[in-house]
Each structure stands twice: as structure tokens, then as C-alpha cells.
Amino acid sequence: MKKILCVAGTRPEAIKMAPVILSLKKESWADVVVLATAQHREMLDQVLSIFGIVSDFDLDIMQEGQELTDLTARLLVAVDKVLKNEAPDIVLAQGDTTTVMTTSLACFYNKIPFGHVEAGLRTGDISNPFPEEMNRVVAGHLAALHFAPTESARENLLRENIDDTIVHVTGNTVIDALLVTARKDFDLGIELDESRKLILVTSHRRENFGEPMRESFAALRDLAERNSDVEILYPVHPNPNVTGPAREILGGHSRIHLVEPLGYPEFVQAMKQAYLIISDSGGVQEEAPALGKPVLVLREETERPEAVQAGVVRLVGTDKSLIISEAEKLLNDSHYYSSMAQGVSPYGDGKAAERIVSILRKYLAEMVNNAAC
Ligand code: UD1
Ligand code: UDP
């Protein structure tokens, strides 16, 4: 048996690690240990329970309004302790959060191989997204195995002189999770007027906090006021830097629904029902194209260029007039809308976890052979 420690700290990590954890659990050679750092508390629990995953360790790290240095320091010490006690053969983590960066560093210090799921995403700009670009560069340079979702992610790693033989293009596990979840319909439990066009919104990026986020919220309010056939659904991220301005600028409007974060099946349902999505989320940029929904991205740069190149995702930043004009073009120009609602998915075919498991099996078997030589 090989001990594989799978780490998840935040909502998107849990969504994207769930297919890997569930696939590994079916393998007789794999002893799967799940470490929840709980960098997110409620939002992590929400996802783990939907996928029926029970963590073996829970670090309960989250504090309200946590700051990066403190979060990093506490995570590094706590993850290190688990690694020392568990001595896994390999550790897996997904993405670019502080949980992932500290996990890769703790693995390096303990000389334990680290496998990076969703490896190789880059904007090339250390401040955008902040601090995620730095987090994934660190994790990328410490990884023994890279599971790149796309060919262009692989090329990013090769440009950083990562050895080609340890980089594998697998697709993104988010598509595995999405395809399974989207098969069924779920009740949103929110009263929406079906005769109106639904705009689904998410927003949480640190680099947008303050004025940029306020400006994008002002654009959403104006959009609702200028277009009586539109309804906005916004599950608000619980970060106090988001909830405050969201309530202040978007609250009290009859066609703007500010709700708590939705469970993953309900959010997928909301994406299916949406006419248009406006978001700064990484995961949503991958999921929405697969569901044929246009996305306006509230960011200046993206590490996910494939959907932009395919013409189904558009970067609008946080400029109020650009957000309004692009959204209204999609609301009013059916040809333009159709060109962005193609249902293409450059991020995977739903079999990424299967590929990751088979690569891991080979890697761990070779580790034993090499040790025996
Ligand atoms: C984190 C990640 C970001 C990722 C995002 C996914 C870092 C630095 N940031 O950003 O890369 O895109 O998660 O959503 O790793 N909170 C709750 N309950 C929860 C979750 C969060 O109350 O279940 C509140 C807490 O006050 C917490 C704050 O949100 O302190 C911020 O959480 P944090 O994980 O530091 O940052 P995110 O913006 O969520
Ligand atoms: N999501 C969810 N409930 C919500 C909003 C988003 O389950 O209310 C899911 C969404 O489908 C996607 C993931 O959360 O898979 C994205 O998480 P987030 O935007 O927080 O982080 P990012 O992807 O930007 O790191």
C-alpha cells in the first residue's frame, strides 16, 4: 500500500480534489489520507459533505478576516506536524491558495514528494492574481509531479525549466466534478422570475478589494436599474472585505438577490439557469464554457487564456462603463450572444482524475523499483 495524503483548504480545492480523492479511494494499492486545513471553514465543509468525503485531519485554521502572513505561518507549522506524523509516500494538493503553497514548502522541508494538481497556470504578473501567482510559482518549483490541465499550462512549466518527464497533461478535475454534478437538476430555493434574464455573479479576488470591487458592484447595480428584464443572483463570498461593499452597494434592490454561498450542486444549477455570468473566479471561468454560458471576467489578466482565445470568456476588468457595455451587448445582441455561448470546454473531458491516478500508480511503483536498485 502507498500512503497518499490529499490536502484541501478552500472551496475550489475541495471541488477539484474530490474527483481525485474519490478515484484513489477505489484503488486497492492506495491508502488515502485526507487533510483539511480548513483555510475556509463553512465553504470547505459544504463541499466535502456533498462529495461524501470525511477528512482524517482537520487543522481548523480559518480565522475571520485572516491576513496572509499569519495564515501562512500557522499553516506551515500545522501541515508540517501532520507530515511528520503520517510520513506519506506522496502529498497532493490543487491550485494556488496559501494552503497549497505552504503544503508544497512543508513537503520540501520534509523531503516528501509533492504532486501539484492544476499545475502550470500563469499570468506572468506576480501581483495578478495576488497572492496566487506567487503561490503557484513556489508550488510549481517544489513539485515532483505536475498535473497540468492544458497543453499551454505544460508549456508554461517547460519555460521555467521544469523537466518535461515530470509534467503530465491531464485535463482539469473541475470538469470531472462538473459533469457528474450537472447531470441532475437541483432546487435553488430562491424565488427567481423565469421570464427575466438571470445574471449570476461571484467576486472575491484580493487584488480587487476596495475601489475596483466597489466600481464593479456599482456597474452591477446600474445594469439592474437600466435593464428591467434582468435579475441578478449573487452568492456573496463571506470575506468581510466583500460582504460589506456588496450589501452597501447592491442591497435593497428588488431584482438583485444577495445570498449566502450556494452549495456546489445549487451553484451548478444557477450556472445552468444563467443567461450570463459575471465573475472573477478561476473555477467559474472553466465551468461556464462547458455549460455554454458566456463569462465576463472582472479581472485585467487571466491564467486561463484558453477560453478567452476560444471567444467564450471576455476580460472586462473592473471598469464600470466597460462592464455595463459588454453585458448590455450580450443582453441585446443575439448574434454576439450566440458567438460566446458555444458550449466548448478547453479544460477537460471529465477523465482528469482517472489519468492522475494512473500516473501516480506508475510513479509510486517506480519509486519502489528505484529504491530497490
Ligand atoms: C481564498 C484563496 C484564493 C481562492 C479563494 C477561493 C488565498 C490567499 N486565497 O481566498 O486563492 O481563490 O480562497 O474562494 O489562499 N470566510 C468565511 N468562511 C469560509 C471562508 C471564508 O467566513 O468558509 C471568510 C473569513 O473571514 C476568512 C476570509 O473569508 O478570513 C478570507 O478567507 P481566505 O481563505 O483568506 O481568502 P479568500 O478570499 O477566501
Ligand atoms: N461555487 C460554489 N458556490 C458558490 C460559488 C461558487 O460552489 O456560491 C463553486 C464554483 O462552481 C467553482 C468554485 O466554487 O467550482 C469556485 O470557487 P471560488 O470562486 O471561490 O474560487 P476560485 O476558483 O476563484 O479559486
Side-chain angles (χ1 to χ4, degrees):
M1 290 276 270
K2 290 287 163 193
K3 189 185 278 192
I4 303 169
L5 185 90
C6 296
V7 183
T10 66
R11 167 173 67 193
E13 293 163 66
I15 293 168
K16 290 173 171 180
M17 282 301 288
V20 178
I21 293 169
L22 296 176
S23 298
L24 277 172
K25 278 185 181 281
K26 290 186 202 146
E27 300 290 319
S28 56
W29 54 270
D31 171 15
V32 186
V33 179
V34 177
L35 167 60
T37 67
Q39 175 180 334
H40 283 174
R41 184 67 280 169
E42 306 87 331
M43 297 206 298
L44 180 74
D45 295 344
Q46 228 176 6
V47 177
L48 292 179
S49 81
I50 283 155
F51 285 99
I53 296 171
V54 179
S55 60
D56 300 284
F57 298 93
D58 190 321
L59 303 179
D60 201 19
I61 285 287
M62 193 192 92
Q63 292 178 357
E64 201 185 314
Q66 57 206 6
E67 295 204 355
L68 291 175
T69 308
D70 178 62
L71 175 66
T72 302
R74 289 187 294 113
L75 273 167
L76 190 57
V77 172
V79 172
D80 181 81
K81 206 178 270 178
V82 177
L83 295 189
K84 285 196 164 63
N85 288 336
E86 285 298 298
D89 293 290
I90 191 163
V91 174
L92 301 180
Q94 176 281 331
D96 52 22
T97 66
T98 302
T99 286
V100 180
M101 187 269 285
T102 51
T103 297
S104 69
L105 196 53
C107 285
F108 176 65
Y109 291 155
N110 286 283
K111 299 189 166 48
I112 295 170
F114 171 70
H116 194 199
V117 178
E118 198 184 79
L121 274 61
R122 299 286 186 274
T123 60
D125 175 354
I126 213 72
S127 314
N128 262 310
F130 176 85
E132 291 83 1
E133 177 78 358
M134 180 59 167
N135 286 345
R136 56 197 174 212
V137 167
V138 171
H141 282 267
L142 299 178
L145 268 182
H146 303 259
F147 303 108
T150 63
E151 185 53 36
S152 87
R154 173 179 163 271
E155 283 163 14
N156 289 337
L157 292 168
L158 302 189
R159 266 195 294 277
E160 292 175 13
N161 296 324
I162 308 281
D163 182 352
D164 201 4
T165 59
I166 62 169
V167 182
H168 304 271
V169 178
T170 59
N172 197 310
T173 56
V174 77
I175 303 296
D176 302 26
L178 177 71
L179 294 184
V180 170
T181 310
R183 267 188 223 138
K184 286 194 219 145
D185 283 323
F186 297 89
D187 183 9
L188 283 184
I190 302 162
E191 275 206 24
L192 296 171
D193 181 342
E194 284 178 15
S195 67
R196 295 200 170 105
K197 289 176 176 159
L198 180 65
I199 301 182
L200 178 64
V201 174
T202 80
S203 174
H204 71 83
R205 301 239 78 87
R206 267 179 162 80
E207 66 273 14
N208 285 347
F209 287 172
E211 208 36 55
M213 192 170 275
R214 295 180 72 85
E215 188 166 334
S216 62
F217 289 169
L220 295 172
R221 180 138 193 144
D222 275 14
L223 258 181
E225 277 165 7
R226 289 157 60 109
N227 299 278
S228 57
D229 61 335
V230 152
E231 215 159 12
I232 294 180
L233 173 60
Y234 178 9
V236 184
H237 188 292
N239 192 321
N241 292 297
V242 182
T243 48
R247 273 198 220 106
E248 182 196 322
I249 300 168
L250 295 168
H253 191 290
S254 60
R255 283 182 287 105
I256 302 179
H257 306 270
L258 299 181
V259 298
E260 298 282 309
L262 297 174
Y264 185 57
E266 289 76 15
F267 189 76
V268 171
Q269 180 68 36
M271 284 194 283
K272 290 198 288 187
Q273 286 178 216
Y275 177 84
L276 157 67
I277 301 174
I278 302 182
S279 172
D280 64 9
S281 164
V284 172
Q285 289 176 63
E286 295 154 347
E287 294 163 329
L291 297 171
K293 303 297 173 169
V295 188
L296 298 179
V297 179
L298 301 168
R299 294 172 54 178
E300 307 294 341
E301 295 173 82
T302 182
E303 58 289 299
R304 294 165 170 90
E306 296 87 350
V308 177
Q309 283 152 11
V312 295
V313 162
R314 185 164 289 253
L315 296 180
V316 292
T318 53
D319 179 76
K320 188 175 157 189
S321 55
L322 187 61
I323 296 169
I324 294 173
S325 66
E326 283 296 323
E328 288 186 344
K329 208 162 147 194
L330 283 164
L331 289 169
N332 300 321
D333 179 341
S334 60
H335 289 296
Y336 185 62
Y337 182 84
S338 305
S339 74
M340 279 190 77
Q342 297 171 30
V344 298
S345 174
Y347 298 111
D349 58 0
K351 293 183 180 155
E354 215 177 277
R355 293 188 189 99
I356 290 170
V357 170
S358 116
I359 294 158
L360 269 178
R361 181 182 187 147
K362 194 157 167 260
Y363 173 83
L364 292 168
E366 279 169 7
M367 235 165 77
V368 175
N369 291 340
N370 291 343
C373 293

